[in-house]
């Protein structure tokens, strides 16, 4: 297993390229199950999570071929299986999204329930209710969802989500594109990844409108064809490196981004005293002076993303004053707080609220984390800390950050990866 070693206290400067969005790429990959023709994804991030997904798709009969220039060709000419076994689903929740496309194309599927994860229980009840509303028969047995479509296939329906869910909105879309008739989804998630999936499905011949708004309408079609689609830039990677630059200090330009997708973060960074200059597809982050404490609460898009909460906490540990951070999406997403404290941050957690008292003079230490975004918050703190920080369990980082140490080193960070001694 690898670990990352950071020698902190170096300012960051230069250009840092942003990859395609992990959380979009995984659902776009699932869309390849909906057609016999090739789906070519451009701007594909090379991550452990996309490899897990490719592994599951290969098991189902979709041939994946990595092509030069960050491209991935997926071709599911004839599917070989409609079963997604526990071993291939438990490692990553997004694999559960193959259920809807399999029912839509093959009329049946058996997919392992994904179970909980470190950040919370994360049930899939909304996913299953949406599929049932489209006519799927669903039975749960021995940890698996056994699902089948009626003889004539799935049929369009009106589905009102009781609360906003990214995964359930995407899953309903992935199933409804091939249903007979019209589906209207209400109270949908509005994350940019939802519009990316809808636009890709439309490029494949689907008829989806309204994605990015609370109401999405889908006119079912009888089949989809192949397409070439570029994955939307990763707004979480963008926000992460913006906060790394703010924490370490310096002048960094993030390239290949959609600045508008991080509006909530830019507002908070500006309030904290960081200069944010938005270009057409670039964002320049400059921080020379002190950081001011800012209160923040996570919310569904366009609110502040839960996937940037840990990184924001690392930044706020360096700010002058007290910052109150509220997590409203996941019930157990403060596991980074004790690890940040090991570096000298002063954080009190009560329920879903954390009070961060700064400015802390962070000092390097060995740390480890239990999930992807928590791990990268420790990298951010390590960049700003005096001395050496060793981040273990790097496999979490590899799930969602492509070439992290290479991108940061190119901007002047002193960071390296090495094999963990046994
Ligand atoms: C997606 O998860 C992302 N994952 C998460 O990113 C992200 O944190 C989350 O959206 C919120 O933005 C992927 O896209 C692969 P939800 P998802 O359904 O779809 C509850 C990362 O670090 N809920 O919007 O699973 C759920 O427990 C990851 O990249 C139900 O109760 O999130 C949560 O409290 C972590 N029943 C809330 O809804 C359901 O059926 C929102 O979850 C579905 C969700």
């Amino acid at each position: 297993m690898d670990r990352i070693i950071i020698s902190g206290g170096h300012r960051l400067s230069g250009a840092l390229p942003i990859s395609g969005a992990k959380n979009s790429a995984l659902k776009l990959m699932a869309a390849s199950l909906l057609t016999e023709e090739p789906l070519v994804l451009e701007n594909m991030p090379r991550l452990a999570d996309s490899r897990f997904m490719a592994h599951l798709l290969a098991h189902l009969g979709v041939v994946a071929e990595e092509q030069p220039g960050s491209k991935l060709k997926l071709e599911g000419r004839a599917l070989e299986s409609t079963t997604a076994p526990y071993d291939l689903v438990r490692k990553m929740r997004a694999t559960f999204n193959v259920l809807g496309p399999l029912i839509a194309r093959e009329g049946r599927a058996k997919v392992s329930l994904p179970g909980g994860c470190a950040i919370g229980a994360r049930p899939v009840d909304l996913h299953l209710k949406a599929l049932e509303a489209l006519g799927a028969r669903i039975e749960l047995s021995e940890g698996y969802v056994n699902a089948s479509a009626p003889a004539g296939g799935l049929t369009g329906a009106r589905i009102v989500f009781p609360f906003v869910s990214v995964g359930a909105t995407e899953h309903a879309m992935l199933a409804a594109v091939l249903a007979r008739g019209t589906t209207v989804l209400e109270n949908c998630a509005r994350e940019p990844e939802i519009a990316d999936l809808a636009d890709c499905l439309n490029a494949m011949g689907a008829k989806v409108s309204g994605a990015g708004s609370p109401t999405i309408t889908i006119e079912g079609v009888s089949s989809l064809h192949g397409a070439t689609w570029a994955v939307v830039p990763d707004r979480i990677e963008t926000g992460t490196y913006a906060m790394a630059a703010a924490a370490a200090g310096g002048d960094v330009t993030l390239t290949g981004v959609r600045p508008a997708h991080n509006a909530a973060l830019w507002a908070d960074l500006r309030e904290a005293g960081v200069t944010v200059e938005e270009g057409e597809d670039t964002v320049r982050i400059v921080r020379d002076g002190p950081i001011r404490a800012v209160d923040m609460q996570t919310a569904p898009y366009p609110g502040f993303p839960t996937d940037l909460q840990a990184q924001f906490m690392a930044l706020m540990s360096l700010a002058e004053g007290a910052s109150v951070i509220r997590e409203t999406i996941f019930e157990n997403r403060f596991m980074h707080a004790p690890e940040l404290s090991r570096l000298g941050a002063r954080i009190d957690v009560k329920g879903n609220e954390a009070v961060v008292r700064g400015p802390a003079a962070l000092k390097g230490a060995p740390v480890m984390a239990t999930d992807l975004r928590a791990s990268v918050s420790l990298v951010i703190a390590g960049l700003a800390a005096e001395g050496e920080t060793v981040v273990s369990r790097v496999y979490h980082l590899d799930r969602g950050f492509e070439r992290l140490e290479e991108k940061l080193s190119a901007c002047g960070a002193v960071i390296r990866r090495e094999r963990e001694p046994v």
Side-chain angles (χ1 to χ4, degrees):
M1 212 183 289
D2 291 350
R3 59 188 193 173
I4 295 249
I5 299 170
I6 305 159
S7 178
H10 299 272
R11 286 166 58 81
L12 301 184
S13 69
L16 195 155
I18 297 300
S19 302
K22 165 184 84 92
N23 286 347
S24 198
L26 298 173
K27 321 307 165 56
L28 295 171
M29 289 176 78
S32 69
L33 287 165
L34 292 166
T35 175
E36 295 168 9
E37 295 180 17
L39 175 63
V40 177
L41 298 175
E42 299 176 338
N43 200 30
M44 256 307 284
R46 301 254 193 270
L47 301 167
D49 273 11
S50 42
R51 280 193 296 273
F52 288 151
M53 187 58 136
H55 204 161
L56 171 61
L57 290 175
H59 168 86
L60 299 173
V62 176
V63 179
E65 183 196 320
E66 287 196 356
Q67 297 181 333
S70 302
K71 282 192 204 161
L72 180 70
K73 180 179 168 198
L74 297 161
E75 189 168 4
R77 206 176 287 233
L79 298 186
E80 285 162 11
S81 168
T82 52
T83 301
Y86 174 66
D87 263 358
L88 296 178
V89 173
R90 79 187 154 86
K91 283 188 184 158
M92 186 184 72
R93 277 178 66 81
T95 48
F96 189 66
N97 278 278
V98 301
L99 176 64
L102 285 174
I103 309 171
R105 175 160 164 192
E106 300 288 298
R108 69 202 151 84
K110 180 178 176 188
V111 175
S112 170
L113 282 162
C117 70
I119 61 175
R122 300 183 79 187
V124 286
D125 51 329
L126 264 52
H127 298 233
L128 299 180
K129 281 198 186 114
L131 296 173
E132 277 177 334
L134 296 171
R137 278 184 301 267
I138 294 202
E139 267 174 40
L140 302 184
S141 131
E142 295 171 353
Y144 277 83
V145 178
N146 290 298
S148 59
L154 299 176
T155 40
R158 176 170 173 265
I159 299 167
V160 183
F161 294 110
F163 54 89
V164 170
S165 159
V166 174
T169 303
E170 292 166 332
H171 210 158
M173 259 196 314
L174 281 165
V177 282
L178 289 182
R180 271 182 298 124
T182 304
T183 297
V184 178
L185 307 176
E186 288 182 30
N187 198 24
C188 293
R190 291 183 280 158
E191 272 67 2
E193 293 75 28
I194 308 259
D196 201 37
L197 177 60
D199 291 344
C200 173
L201 290 168
N202 286 341
M204 295 166 73
K207 293 190 177 154
V208 182
S209 59
S213 81
T215 305
I216 298 178
T217 305
I218 301 153
E219 303 287 345
V221 295
S222 55
S223 67
L224 294 182
H225 51 73
T228 296
W229 188 254
V231 182
V232 71
D234 196 320
R235 67 197 164 92
I236 304 304
E237 191 194 20
T238 305
T240 299
Y241 290 129
M243 286 189 270
D251 184 345
V252 171
T253 299
L254 306 169
T255 62
V257 306
R258 301 265 172 93
H261 291 170
N262 283 95
L265 171 66
W266 306 149
D268 284 349
L269 286 183
R270 287 182 178 123
E271 204 182 323
V274 178
T275 302
V276 180
E277 282 176 17
E278 296 173 61
E280 202 172 304
D281 61 358
T282 58
V283 176
R284 181 173 173 217
I285 305 290
V286 185
R287 206 273 291 173
D288 288 314
I291 302 166
R292 290 189 290 272
V294 174
D295 294 341
M296 183 279 278
Q297 122 165 353
T298 61
Y301 190 84
F304 193 105
T306 173
D307 291 349
L308 290 176
Q309 179 258 107
Q311 299 88 316
F312 192 76
M313 188 179 286
L315 179 65
M316 284 300 107
S317 70
L318 302 163
E320 286 176 1
S323 158
V324 180
I325 295 177
R326 276 188 70 212
E327 171 58 53
T328 71
I329 310 289
F330 292 112
E331 67 272 22
N332 188 25
R333 215 179 192 182
F334 281 145
M335 286 95 56
H336 41 280
E339 292 298 301
L340 287 170
S341 301
R342 287 170 50 74
L343 297 172
R346 283 174 294 156
I347 304 167
D348 292 316
V349 173
K350 247 196 211 129
N352 71 340
E353 234 174 57
V355 179
V356 188
R357 289 192 176 78
L362 300 183
K363 292 236 163 51
V367 284
M368 65 167 77
T370 41
D371 78 84
L372 162 65
R373 312 303 176 185
S375 304
V376 86
S377 77
L378 300 172
V379 172
I380 291 177
L383 291 170
E386 191 193 312
E388 198 169 87
T389 297
V390 181
V391 184
S392 301
R393 297 197 182 166
V394 165
Y395 57 87
H396 288 299
L397 284 171
D398 292 337
R399 292 188 61 172
F401 290 93
E402 189 178 32
R403 298 181 287 110
L404 171 116
E405 61 282 12
E406 195 184 312
K407 290 187 184 187
L408 285 170
S409 301
C411 290
V414 180
I415 178 168
R416 67 179 202 279
R417 176 188 288 252
E418 65 171 37
R419 270 244 165 278
E420 192 130 26
V422 268

